[in-house]
Amino acid sequence: MHSENASWGLRLAAWGGLVFLHFPILIILLYAFNTEDAAFSFPPQGFTLNWFAVAFARADVLEAITLSLQVACLATAIALVLGTLASVALYRRDFFGKESISLMLILPIALPGIITGIALLSAFKALGVEPGLFTIVVGHATFCVVIVYNNVIARLRRTSQSLIEASMDLGADGWQTFRYIILPNLGSALLAGGMLAFALSFDEIIVTTFTAGNERTLPIWLLNQLNRPRDVPVTNVVAMLVMMVTMLPILGAYYLTRGGESVAGSGK
């Protein structure tokens, strides 16, 4: 009886935590459909899709969405290539300084975003690189690589070494073994890592603030909207869009990795 009460108590605590975390998000979703022009009137005055039409008719919103999608796609592509190559290299070879290199790969995601942003800005200024699309992509790729690396290295650690040895015994060279044996086994790990990297890049704001220059990604656009109360209904719509674009890849990656034998598994 005592254990059953404790179980219910843990469930209530878990659900209470979820409600506490997601209640502000539900408020934004609710007010994105509010008919009242005064965005913070409570209760909402009705239901309308008008604010969606208004939001997607604005050039600044579309430009911010386009830029964020470009940055997220480019950063994810770079992360997939570099993260995969780094994980394969570190998995297959033991050498002096291997642990230090692993730490350096993981460090960008462990450091506070403001530290990473200041470091990148200083490096770009020292190199004479003007802030813009290129610098944003580089900044996002620094932490997106970590996401892909963690997923791929976890999958490699669960890949049977006998498959690789059998491929070599049958006459396959290193590239053929990677292409026909290793890469197919990494498929879901790469997909999950890419989805998480895309979601992380799409809504990133701290590093972007230091590397964007005059460019405005969607999160920066949202931040600038805070001092424009008349635009709050449109801001709510765009905020809901950001949440949907980032939530769906994260949910997809979760379903890919929830099994113990799946992508990230015990390597999370």
Side-chain angles (χ1 to χ4, degrees):
M1 185 69 178
H2 178 72
S3 61
E4 184 177 344
N5 291 335
S7 177
W8 276 105
L10 289 174
R11 291 180 184 178
L12 289 175
W15 280 107
L18 288 174
V19 171
F20 176 77
L21 290 172
H22 293 91
F23 181 75
I25 297 176
L26 294 176
I27 293 296
I28 291 178
L29 295 178
L30 183 65
Y31 278 106
F33 299 95
N34 187 14
T35 57
E36 180 60 45
D37 205 8
F40 293 115
S41 61
F42 190 86
Q45 303 302 307
F47 179 89
T48 183
L49 297 175
N50 176 61
W51 299 119
F52 288 83
V54 172
F56 289 107
R58 289 180 49 164
D60 57 335
V61 174
L62 295 179
E63 289 173 1
I65 292 174
T66 302
L67 180 60
S68 287
L69 289 174
Q70 287 177 340
V71 170
C73 289
L74 290 171
T76 301
I78 294 172
L80 285 171
V81 174
L82 296 182
T84 302
L85 293 177
S87 59
V88 172
L90 291 175
Y91 172 73
R92 294 192 63 185
R93 293 288 183 268
D94 289 322
F95 53 88
F96 177 76
K98 177 179 178 178
E99 296 302 323
S100 298
I101 294 176
S102 299
L103 177 62
M104 291 175 64
L105 279 168
I106 298 173
L107 204 56
I109 200 94
L111 288 173
I114 191 170
I115 302 298
T116 303
I118 292 173
L120 286 167
L121 180 61
S122 300
F124 291 139
K125 284 187 174 180
L127 296 172
V129 179
E130 290 296 323
L133 176 62
F134 173 76
T135 57
I136 301 174
V137 171
V138 171
H140 287 202
T142 57
F143 52 80
C144 288
V145 167
V146 184
I147 305 298
V148 176
Y149 169 80
N150 282 339
N151 277 273
V152 174
I153 198 74
R155 170 56 63 85
L156 287 171
R157 287 168 181 162
R158 287 192 300 276
T159 299
S160 175
Q161 190 67 26
S162 60
L163 292 175
I164 299 174
E165 293 172 354
S167 174
M168 294 294 190
D169 289 340
L170 292 172
D173 57 27
W175 167 248
Q176 290 174 321
T177 300
F178 177 77
R179 181 181 176 185
Y180 296 111
I181 303 298
I182 298 176
L183 197 57
N185 279 285
L186 297 180
S188 56
L190 291 172
L191 181 60
M195 293 166 70
L196 288 172
F198 180 89
L200 191 63
S201 173
F202 188 80
D203 70 348
E204 210 290 322
I205 187 170
I206 300 176
V207 173
T208 311
T209 302
F210 290 92
T211 58
N214 294 324
E215 300 287 348
R216 288 202 305 175
T217 60
L218 203 54
I220 291 181
W221 182 90
L222 286 169
L223 183 64
N224 293 336
Q225 289 295 109
L226 293 179
N227 58 357
R228 298 177 181 177
R230 288 183 175 272
D231 280 351
V232 166
V234 175
T235 304
N236 288 334
V237 170
V238 177
M240 188 179 75
L241 172 67
V242 173
M243 286 186 289
M244 294 299 294
V245 171
T246 54
M247 179 184 68
L248 293 177
I250 291 173
L251 288 176
Y254 165 73
Y255 281 107
L256 285 172
T257 62
R258 60 179 177 172
E261 72 286 352
S262 195
V263 180
S266 60
K268 289 182 184 178

